[in-house]
Amino acid sequence: MARPPVTIAPRHMTAAHPDAPSKDLIPTTASKLLQVTGGEIIRPYRRHIPELDGIRGIAVAVVVFSHIYFDFESVPSDGIVHRLLIVWVRMTKLGWIGVDVFFVLSGFLISGVLLDSFGRPHFYRNFYMRRVLRIFPLYYLVLLISLFWYQFPWKFVGLSSVFLANMSRYFQVTMVFAPLWSLSVEEHFYLFWPWLVRYLRPRLLVFLCGFVVIAEPLLRVYAFRHGTFNEYASWFRFDGMAMGAVIAVVLRSRFASYLKFCGITLLSVSLIGAVLGSRVGLTTRTSAVGVTMVYSLVSALTAGIIALVISYPHSTWAAPLRGRKLRFLGDISFCVYLVHWLILDAWRFIVLHYSGRQTYLLAAEHPIPFYLLECAVVWCVSLLSGFCSMKYFEGPIRNLRVNYR
């Protein structure tokens, strides 16, 4: 009988250590491959993908513009600028797409971190501490500001403090601060995902994610038909993170060469589905067929783009995603996503309560300059807040994560 291969553990990983991995979880230091549960092999992927920062920047931009809304259609005017702004505002109503893009990016990046950390000591502690240092400081600072400065209802702030903002409907509490719901969905997903990544074979992870991708649309349409669908509930929105996780697993497997085919397939299916399905309400969120598939189409489109930018590094067509301004926006997107709503709320409060009736009449009589001014104020303050937060608050705290690799 052939003798099984022996895997040698590094000196710092001993069986006596409480967090030391079992023999089949220890990386082979010579080949830089990680042998995971069941003997399957994953290849750590360390290359930074700058295009993902650009995708994140686009996602946060469409979210912000969707919240800066003005009903130009109710204002009588035949000017070309007015008609263009009507089209623009209609397009910005699709800003919710940005949140689903975030979900796929999160599933891809966080799953990649977990897979690349496989076999290291303190697997769970390191993951959750890095997550805490990344999310908690700014998140709870914004919660404190919303409670004491904006005087948001304490019940909503209390739910948000334990990442239940997206469940506020079930507690008969109004969700007064919309950006928090998506963070709740992500934290719910990552409560159990690290445990599955550690104890399931990569092949089983892919099958599990595939099951989630198929089951979520069915669950959504069932709930929609029975009047219980809640677009903010976690159990209806896990398919985006599952798609991102599949790309992360495949990238580190022996099937990585198929990513190009996967990307083209996902991109084609999502675009063709959107074009053909628009006639039957597939691209809306107000019909059964739309609720069933529209989130999946956006997730598939995002996953396809991620797969293609990985397959074609430094490609010309992806050059705009590597632009410095877009990558900068992507780098500060977390702060911009959290604070832009507060800035917009403060701006409108000042206009309505402190600037006098003249400003209000000016906004009604000249909506175009006022809309452009509002966009400029919200974006300038949001970008400044994001820059200062990254340099003086988030950045220094984020640097502490090197202690939890």
Side-chain angles (χ1 to χ4, degrees):
M1 181 180 295
R3 186 176 181 180
V6 177
T7 305
I8 301 175
R11 291 182 179 179
H12 67 278
M13 296 183 182
T14 63
H17 197 287
D19 286 325
S22 59
K23 187 160 60 177
D24 60 341
L25 302 179
I26 295 174
T28 56
T29 56
S31 62
K32 302 299 182 183
L33 303 182
L34 299 181
Q35 188 176 7
V36 300
T37 305
E40 295 186 28
I41 298 297
I42 59 174
R43 297 165 176 80
Y45 189 85
R46 310 292 187 189
R47 187 179 74 84
H48 177 66
I49 308 171
E51 293 87 351
L52 300 188
D53 294 328
I55 295 174
R56 191 184 293 111
I58 293 174
V60 75
V62 298
V63 170
V64 173
F65 276 119
S66 71
H67 292 153
I68 308 175
Y69 175 77
F70 193 93
D71 187 11
F72 287 102
E73 296 185 37
S74 63
V75 180
S77 177
D78 294 326
I80 182 65
V81 176
H82 182 266
R83 289 197 293 269
L84 288 175
L85 281 175
I86 290 177
V87 175
W88 165 254
V89 170
R90 288 177 180 174
M91 291 174 59
T92 61
K93 290 181 179 179
L94 298 174
W96 58 268
I97 289 175
V99 176
D100 288 88
V101 173
F102 282 136
F103 286 156
V104 181
L105 284 170
S106 178
F108 171 76
L109 293 171
I110 300 302
S111 298
V113 169
L114 290 169
L115 290 168
D116 292 341
S117 302
F118 204 93
R120 295 181 183 178
H122 309 293
F123 178 82
Y124 299 113
R125 185 205 67 176
N126 288 351
F127 172 75
Y128 286 114
M129 281 302 301
R130 288 173 64 85
R131 189 74 183 166
V132 165
L133 292 172
R134 178 69 182 92
I135 301 296
F136 281 27
L138 184 61
Y139 181 84
Y140 284 105
L141 176 62
V142 169
L143 275 185
L144 289 175
I145 293 174
S146 67
L147 179 64
F148 294 106
W149 184 263
Y150 286 82
Q151 297 182 345
F152 284 175
W154 67 267
K155 289 183 179 180
F156 175 77
V157 175
L159 289 173
S160 301
S161 66
V162 289
F163 293 97
L164 290 176
N166 63 329
M167 304 295 183
S168 57
R169 178 184 302 181
Y170 302 112
F171 295 91
Q172 285 76 50
V173 175
T174 303
M175 187 166 60
V176 294
F177 191 13
L180 300 185
W181 77 268
S182 62
L183 295 173
S184 300
V185 174
E186 289 192 20
E187 296 311 310
H188 297 165
F189 185 79
Y190 296 124
L191 281 177
F192 63 84
W193 187 240
W195 301 82
L196 295 175
V197 170
R198 181 158 189 177
Y199 289 108
L200 291 182
R201 301 180 184 183
R203 189 179 307 172
L204 291 178
L205 282 177
V206 172
F207 286 143
L208 177 61
C209 290
F211 172 79
V212 172
V213 170
I214 294 173
E216 286 283 43
L218 300 177
L219 184 62
R220 286 195 290 262
V221 70
Y222 177 84
F224 185 84
R225 291 188 180 279
H226 289 78
T228 58
F229 175 68
N230 176 9
E231 64 178 315
Y232 304 119
S234 299
W235 49 85
F236 293 125
R237 305 304 294 273
F238 283 157
D239 47 340
M241 284 172 281
M243 285 192 192
V246 169
I247 301 297
V249 175
V250 173
L251 175 62
R252 291 162 175 81
S253 72
R254 59 190 177 93
F255 300 105
S257 59
Y258 291 96
L259 269 183
K260 185 185 301 183
F261 173 77
C262 292
I264 294 174
T265 302
L266 289 171
L267 204 63
S268 301
V269 169
S270 57
L271 292 177
I272 294 174
V275 172
L276 297 181
S278 60
R279 297 184 178 183
V280 294
L282 189 63
T283 56
T284 69
R285 296 183 293 167
T286 56
S287 64
V289 65
V291 164
T292 303
M293 293 304 300
V294 68
Y295 303 110
S296 300
L297 288 176
V298 175
S299 298
L301 177 67
T302 307
I305 293 174
I306 292 174
L308 289 177
V309 298
I310 295 171
S311 302
Y312 297 96
H314 311 298
S315 60
T316 303
W317 63 268
L321 297 176
R322 298 191 295 271
R324 292 182 59 185
K325 294 178 181 179
L326 203 54
R327 290 181 60 192
F328 168 74
L329 180 57
D331 196 37
I332 64 172
S333 59
F334 181 54
C335 180
V336 172
Y337 179 75
L338 281 180
V339 306
H340 80 275
W341 184 283
L342 299 180
I343 294 168
L344 179 61
D345 190 55
W347 161 254
R348 290 178 175 173
F349 180 83
I350 292 171
V351 168
L352 292 176
H353 293 83
Y354 290 102
S355 298
R357 181 175 174 81
Q358 294 299 324
T359 303
Y360 183 78
L361 292 175
L362 179 65
E365 295 174 1
H366 306 281
I368 295 176
F370 185 79
Y371 174 77
L372 297 177
L373 176 62
E374 186 168 85
C375 288
V377 170
V378 172
W379 270 110
C380 288
V381 180
S382 296
L383 292 174
L384 180 61
S385 301
F387 172 77
C388 293
S389 176
M390 184 58 64
K391 188 173 180 64
Y392 302 110
F393 184 65
E394 287 181 88
I397 295 175
R398 184 188 295 186
N399 291 336
L400 298 176
R401 296 188 300 170
V402 298
N403 300 317
Y404 302 99
R405 288 181 175 177

